[in-house]
Amino acid sequence: MTRDPAALSRTELRRYGRQLLLPEFADSQERLKAAHVLVIGAGGLGCPVISYLAGAGAGFLRIADGDTVSLSNLHRQTLYTTADVGRSKAQAAAARAQQVNPYVGVEAAPALSPETAPALLEGVDLVIDASDNFTARYLVHDACTAAGLPWVWGAAGGFEGMVSVFGPDFGLRDVFATPDGAESCDDIGVVGPLLGVVGSVMALEALKILTGQADVLSGRLWTYDALSARVRIVRLGKTISAGT
């Protein structure tokens, strides 16, 4: 990140007081306030990411999503209410993030595409890939690789989820060369709290990166089986099955 850290007000110091008790955050909150983050996807994974990054004081969130809220989203996409059905997810999520923390700058943006990618990535320090299909995920890989940016990636379906940190020299295409075996939530379903678990891990990895912590999931894949409550960490190499 190239921006100078911004000073914290007294109100912000009180707001972030509990995390400032942590040695890892004590000297990093101003750095976090200076960070610009692009969140791609404001669905089941994007909702906890947006909520926790806003709450933690990430300085600026750009939320990219071209979808609208539907009734079937509400069991897992926790930023939205029944009154939001039919509303732009990006706009609804941005409004909710501002309610969570008015000290965070938030921007609703269109979905990622080859045409929108340059503007979406402009001025960004970190990308969060909370998209729900491999077409979008590969586009994130290509855009972040070209821009030399790191990104946090997550996926979930059924009762299984996974998270990793990519870029700029090793990314999703290096691990999942093809989307063979990947199925969407529309096809196989998903249990709502799973998205909260996976999205929270994504938010944690993002906060660790933004505050300069060394031990992030770069080169490793965190996997979670909600039925057995089993967690595994897998060392990543080239090309494995896409799974969920």
Side-chain angles (χ1 to χ4, degrees), residues 83-109:
D84 292 314
V85 171
R87 188 180 179 190
S88 158
K89 285 185 181 180
Q91 292 178 5
R96 205 75 73 230
Q98 287 272 260
Q99 291 174 342
V100 170
N101 189 350
Y103 291 94
V104 172
V106 186
E107 175 185 282

Side-chain angles (χ1 to χ4, degrees), residues 110-203:
L112 179 71
S113 71
E115 293 73 31
T116 62
L120 289 177
L121 269 65
E122 184 178 0
V124 165
D125 303 304
L126 178 68
V127 175
I128 313 292
D129 182 4
S131 60
D132 61 0
N133 65 85
F134 266 81
T135 298
R137 291 165 184 164
Y138 288 149
L139 183 54
V140 173
H141 171 112
D142 295 342
C144 289
T145 300
L149 287 171
W151 73 101
V152 177
W153 171 81
F159 289 91
E160 299 180 355
M162 57 185 73
V163 176
S164 190
V165 174
F166 293 128
D169 300 319
F170 183 82
L172 188 73
R173 287 188 184 273
D174 299 307
V175 181
F176 301 115
T178 68
D180 294 344
E183 297 177 287
S184 72
C185 295
D186 290 341
D187 298 322
I188 64 173
V190 65
V191 62
L194 173 67
L195 284 301
V197 173
V198 177
S200 294
V201 173
M202 294 171 69

Side-chain angles (χ1 to χ4, degrees), residues 4-27:
D4 293 330
L8 299 169
S9 68
R10 291 185 178 181
T11 302
E12 288 175 290
L13 290 171
R14 290 196 299 272
R15 175 181 285 269
Y16 309 130
R18 295 300 181 271
Q19 67 193 35
L20 288 172
L21 292 172
L22 302 169
E24 293 82 0
F25 271 86
D27 297 322

